[in-house]
Amino acid sequence: MSLVVYSHDRDVDPGEGQIVVYNQAYFEYLQTEEGSSRGSYDDQARERPRRSSIPDDFFVQGYYQRFFKQVGVVGTGSRAVVYKVKHMLLENDLGTFALKKICIGDDMHWLYRCLKEVKLLNRLTEESSHLITYNHVWLERCPVESLILTQDDGSPANLDIPTTMPYMFILQQFCCGGNLDDVIQYQVFNKISGKETRLERKKKLMNAKKLRKGLTTYQIVSIAKDINTGLRQLHSLRIIHRDLKPSNCLLLEQFDPTDTKNFPKCVIGDFGESQLYGQLRDATGSTGTLEFVAPELTTGAQFSFKSDIYAFGMILYFVIFGQLPFGSKDMSVIKREINQLSLNPDSMRDLHESLDLVPVHPALFDLVCEMLNHTPSLRPDLASISYRLDTILESVTTSINNENTQKNSENKHKVGFASLYALQIAVTLTVLNHSDWHWWKYTVIFITGLAYNHNRNNSAGNRNLLIILIASVLISAISIW
């Protein structure tokens, strides 16, 4: 018999000889109770003595129910569920927060392990403007939320399942814009999530045909600068994130598809897998999402600041293209593709053009390629990335200003021509109205000028000529009478 973990929001059928458990922490707790071995963790946790249970005076029973109102589910993971909650006191709304609820098992070892994230969050200061902020943590015993299925022969599993389990509650900043992964996939590139109504799906398909997909250089640079600032703040505290990916980049505001210059502020969250620099950890376990794992980690190297840079580069690739450079969903195949991945700016430009995306500054492709270099030492540091992003932004701004200046110059030239032409017509009219020419012969002059300016897309000149034309016709008609 084996135990297999699945997220509780998925419908799955157990395989032969398997029990499906819908909670990773609870699953690992059951493994401990059965005497199963666990993977390696940090040295301090490994050396701590085990206790059979967490002391009762550690718990604050009823605190969540008394002071919080659950609004909805923000997200679910293998070890926790994140809720949107309102902090209430005497029926007064004290603010909206994100509440991470983790089943830790009745084991001090797991309590120490989960407190690691809280300790890291506590190191973040108010100056860490691009990192999720931490507010409070407490423990409560809650009803078990895991679901255990029977064995493959239909008989119940012989497991002593308690009715309540210790849960850790971590109260932190709520980001109303959701996460970068969902926004890029479902709002920027209009992919179908399966949660849309029929009308919403139809609207998405219609918009996909009308609008050009992708973000502008301004928006991509905005995302990159926010993540870069967050990583610099994190690394300055000697913390390696280890699980940097779009779903862990949270937006403080809602994304506006009509605004092509701005993008909501992005902050980095989820420090459950983070570690202090120099702390030895198992680099090839289940930590992180494989698609964002640097190549050296697949061969046993330790996590480093440079491995965070690689993940950052893969995020930018995803933001630019709306997809990752891997063709398979099989983990073993993806691992091979990671080690074989070879990108160059020219191939990225060709792919970008073939997808008919919103044009972006080509220097972005060069930067991403450098960040995804297989040799960690050749990846740029965060200070260099910041400088490159500023240079790209300055280049785009200068280019747009030059275009606007040129257009204004052309418009002035066109208006000047229209005014000169109108003056010439006025003089010509004065002469012709005292001759034997008929009015319809010289109105052709005005129509010619009008057509000329129309072709040059100069509305101001067209209006001037139109006024002169109408006035000329009236003057000609009066002179004939």
Side-chain angles (χ1 to χ4, degrees):
M1 181 182 69
S2 64
L3 299 177
V4 180
V5 185
Y6 289 95
S7 172
H8 67 66
D9 60 342
R10 293 173 58 185
D11 295 325
V12 295
D13 296 317
E16 183 177 354
Q18 292 180 336
I19 295 177
V20 178
V21 183
Y22 287 75
N23 186 299
Q24 170 115 357
Y26 187 47
F27 152 70
E28 290 170 349
Y29 166 71
L30 291 175
Q31 279 191 315
T32 303
E33 293 298 298
E34 291 182 323
S36 301
S37 61
R38 260 198 287 258
S40 58
Y41 311 116
D42 60 275
D43 294 336
Q44 292 179 344
R46 194 184 295 110
E47 292 173 358
R48 288 191 187 100
R50 294 297 184 89
R51 295 186 58 164
S52 60
S53 63
I54 299 173
D56 289 337
D57 57 359
F58 281 26
F59 296 91
V60 187
Q61 284 301 123
Y63 184 77
Y64 176 60
Q65 185 176 6
R66 184 177 179 185
F67 294 107
F68 294 92
K69 178 181 179 182
Q70 187 171 305
V71 179
V73 177
V74 176
T76 59
S78 59
R79 295 183 302 168
V81 180
V82 180
Y83 299 99
K84 176 183 178 181
V85 299
K86 288 186 179 295
H87 190 11
M88 308 296 293
L89 181 62
L90 300 176
E91 306 209 355
N92 291 302
D93 186 351
L94 301 181
T96 302
F97 298 88
L99 183 73
K100 192 172 185 179
K101 183 179 179 183
I102 311 170
C103 182
I104 60 174
D106 200 4
D107 189 327
M108 285 296 292
H109 172 80
W110 280 104
L111 175 59
Y112 281 123
R113 186 169 188 243
C114 292
L115 280 173
K116 175 177 65 69
E117 178 178 3
V118 177
K119 288 180 180 179
L120 292 176
L121 284 169
N122 195 45
R123 295 185 61 167
L124 307 182
T125 63
E126 291 183 1
E127 287 75 30
S128 302
S129 57
H130 288 78
L131 301 173
I132 203 77
T133 56
Y134 152 78
N135 297 91
H136 185 38
V137 63
W138 72 95
L139 299 180
E140 290 191 51
R141 290 188 180 274
C142 302
V144 176
E145 296 180 352
S146 301
L147 173 65
I148 309 297
L149 301 181
T150 59
Q151 300 182 68
D152 60 305
D153 60 359
S155 61
N158 295 321
L159 297 174
D160 184 16
I161 305 173
T163 56
T164 63
M165 289 287 288
Y167 281 79
M168 176 179 285
F169 293 79
I170 302 177
L171 191 68
Q172 54 194 28
Q173 180 182 9
F174 175 70
C175 301
C176 66
N179 65 71
L180 187 62
D181 189 25
D182 288 343
V183 170
I184 294 298
Q185 287 198 77
Y186 308 126
Q187 296 188 54
V188 175
F189 285 87
N190 286 316
K191 294 180 182 178
I192 303 298
S193 67
K195 299 178 181 179
E196 299 90 351
T197 64
R198 187 175 180 181
L199 184 62
E200 288 172 337
R201 193 179 298 114
K202 185 178 180 181
K203 186 177 179 181
K204 265 193 174 185
L205 292 173
M206 290 179 64
N207 289 338
K209 296 178 181 178
K210 294 178 182 178
L211 302 176
R212 207 171 188 182
K213 296 178 183 177
L215 295 176
T216 64
T217 300
Y218 276 115
Q219 293 171 310
I220 296 170
V221 170
S222 173
I223 295 169
K225 286 177 71 67
D226 284 346
I227 297 176
N228 188 79
T229 303
L231 267 186
R232 291 184 78 171
Q233 293 169 347
L234 196 65
H235 289 181
S236 70
L237 298 171
R238 312 298 287 170
I239 298 173
I240 304 170
H241 191 281
R242 299 209 324 160
D243 194 19
L244 195 62
K245 56 187 177 181
S247 59
N248 286 340
C249 298
L250 308 174
L251 308 181
L252 297 187
E253 298 173 352
Q254 295 284 341
F255 170 67
D256 181 4
T258 62
D259 188 350
T260 59
K261 278 195 126 180
N262 302 298
F263 198 87
K265 182 179 178 179
C266 187
V267 298
I268 299 174
D270 198 341
F271 305 101
E273 301 295 345
S274 300
Q275 73 177 64
L276 292 175
Y277 178 78
Q279 181 182 24
L280 297 181
R281 296 287 297 271
D282 179 8
T284 57
S286 60
T287 298
T289 302
L290 186 57
E291 290 89 341
F292 297 88
V293 167
E296 66 271 15
L297 301 180
T298 65
T299 57
Q302 288 290 326
F303 282 85
S304 65
F305 294 140
K306 291 294 187 177
S307 61
D308 274 354
I309 298 292
Y310 180 93
F312 181 12
M314 193 58 75
I315 289 175
L316 289 187
Y317 185 100
F318 173 76
V319 167
I320 293 171
F321 292 99
Q323 61 188 28
L324 293 173
F326 308 115
S328 175
K329 294 184 179 180
D330 183 88
M331 292 296 103
S332 60
V333 176
I334 291 177
K335 186 176 179 180
R336 185 169 64 251
E337 289 181 334
I338 288 172
N339 288 284
Q340 295 175 348
L341 182 64
S342 179
L343 297 174
N344 63 77
D346 292 335
S347 65
M348 289 182 67
R349 276 191 287 269
D350 292 342
L351 175 61
H352 196 270
E353 290 177 5
S354 69
L355 295 174
D356 193 30
L357 303 177
V358 174
V360 298
H361 198 287
L364 286 171
F365 303 131
D366 298 86
L367 178 59
V368 171
C369 285
E370 291 180 31
M371 295 170 72
L372 296 179
N373 196 300
H374 279 231
T375 305
S377 60
L378 296 181
R379 294 170 197 155
D381 58 27
L382 293 171
S384 174
I385 293 171
S386 179
Y387 174 77
R388 297 274 292 277
L389 291 172
D390 287 337
T391 302
I392 292 171
L393 195 60
E394 183 180 352
S395 175
V396 173
T397 303
T398 302
S399 177
I400 291 176
N401 289 339
N402 289 341
E403 288 179 6
N404 291 336
T405 301
Q406 185 177 356
K407 287 180 181 178
N408 291 336
S409 177
E410 290 177 356
N411 287 338
K412 287 180 181 179
H413 171 72
K414 292 172 184 177
V415 172
F417 168 81
S419 302
L420 183 62
Y421 189 84
L423 179 61
Q424 179 185 348
I425 294 307
V427 173
T428 305
L429 268 178
T430 305
V431 175
L432 293 180
N433 277 333
H434 291 83
S435 68
D436 293 332
W437 286 28
H438 293 294
W439 66 271
W440 55 268
K441 291 182 179 179
Y442 52 83
T443 53
V444 176
I445 301 173
F446 313 118
I447 296 174
T448 304
L450 190 65
Y452 174 78
N453 273 268
H454 177 73
N455 290 335
R456 296 180 63 167
N457 297 317
N458 182 22
S459 57
N462 287 344
R463 284 195 298 272
N464 289 344
L465 289 175
L466 185 59
I467 293 171
I468 294 296
L469 176 61
I470 294 172
S472 302
V473 172
L474 291 175
I475 293 171
S476 299
I478 294 171
S479 66
I480 291 173
W481 284 102

